[in-house]
Amino acid sequence: MTKFEVHTHETAPENSKGMLQAAEKAFGFVPNISAVLAESPATLKAYLTLSKIFDDSSFSATERQVVILTINEYNNCHYCVAAHSAIAAMQGVPGDVVSAIREGRKIDDARIEALRSFTRQIVDQRGWVDEAAVQAFLDAGFQHQQVMEVILGVAMKTISNYTNHIAQTPLDEAFEPHAWQPGAPADTAGQQPA
């Protein structure tokens, strides 16, 4: 298996160093996904830029994490499910919502479940969702703009999920309490109660 470097400020390509410094300032450490993506300054920049744009979307913090976690779970990304479970807890996303996504089951809140279901369909069907799926999403109270924003989330998470699959990115210590494997029961340690 080809080993991918988890870069430090010293080993990263020059054009990645500033972005790693910004990640460290934001998180208090350099997340391993950023350290791996640093191998390609262009890819790291794309991921960080898309992340910022997605944060500025019309979705609430909970809705953004539902989109992200659903994509991560569908793609079996052990790193991103753990990382975004931790981030979701910090952002006050209800623990039962995070647990349901981690376990691949429906969410009790009908509107949030419509978002989870639509996101999953977008990924599963590679965007070829039928009109009924789009209408069900709109009927749940979402807008056409948010259809596009789910696609934005898919684009962003494709970069990180596929990178983690290929590079086998090691989980950061900060995310270990939220470690996840496909098909494993959710560990809700540190998550906000419902």
Side-chain angles (χ1 to χ4, degrees):
M1 179 71 185
T2 302
K3 181 142 175 75
F4 285 79
E5 187 161 1
V6 180
H7 283 284
T8 65
H9 294 296
E10 292 74 33
T11 65
E14 195 59 40
N15 289 342
S16 290
K17 289 182 179 185
M19 291 181 281
L20 291 184
Q21 289 169 346
E24 185 171 32
K25 184 176 180 182
F27 288 95
F29 64 97
V30 176
N32 286 341
I33 181 59
S34 295
V36 170
L37 285 169
E39 184 70 30
S40 167
T43 308
L44 176 58
K45 183 177 182 179
Y47 180 68
L48 295 175
T49 301
L50 286 175
S51 296
K52 172 68 172 115
I53 293 168
F54 190 65
D55 281 348
D56 292 338
S57 72
S58 65
F59 287 126
S60 69
T62 293
E63 292 165 345
R64 287 192 306 272
Q65 292 305 320
V66 167
V67 170
I68 289 168
L69 281 164
T70 299
I71 297 162
N72 295 337
E73 185 274 332
Y74 183 90
N75 286 331
N76 292 327
C77 185
H78 80 284
Y79 182 93
C80 286
V81 170
H84 282 280
S85 294
I87 293 166
M90 290 186 288
Q91 293 182 349
V93 178
D96 63 322
V97 169
V98 174
S99 295
I101 296 170
R102 287 171 59 104
E103 295 169 7
R105 58 183 171 79
K106 290 183 177 180
I107 298 168
D108 291 336
D109 181 299
R111 185 171 189 277
I112 296 299
E113 171 55 22
L115 176 58
R116 185 202 69 83
S117 177
F118 183 68
T119 300
R120 191 170 179 86
Q121 289 175 72
I122 289 280
V123 177
D124 182 61
Q125 298 168 24
R126 294 175 183 87
W128 293 102
V129 295
D130 60 26
E131 181 59 33
V134 175
Q135 193 59 54
F137 182 66
L138 298 175
D139 289 347
F142 294 100
Q143 305 298 316
H144 286 98
Q145 172 184 351
Q146 292 165 319
V147 172
M148 300 293 115
E149 291 172 350
V150 169
I151 296 168
L152 171 62
V154 172
M156 174 188 68
K157 293 316 299 175
T158 298
I159 293 172
S160 61
N161 289 176
Y162 288 12
T163 297
N164 291 325
H165 295 337
I166 291 171
Q168 297 183 11
T169 308
L171 193 59
D172 302 272
E173 187 177 331
F175 303 143
E176 285 178 4
H178 301 277
W180 176 86
Q181 292 297 321
D187 174 7
T188 58
Q191 294 177 8
Q192 299 293 319

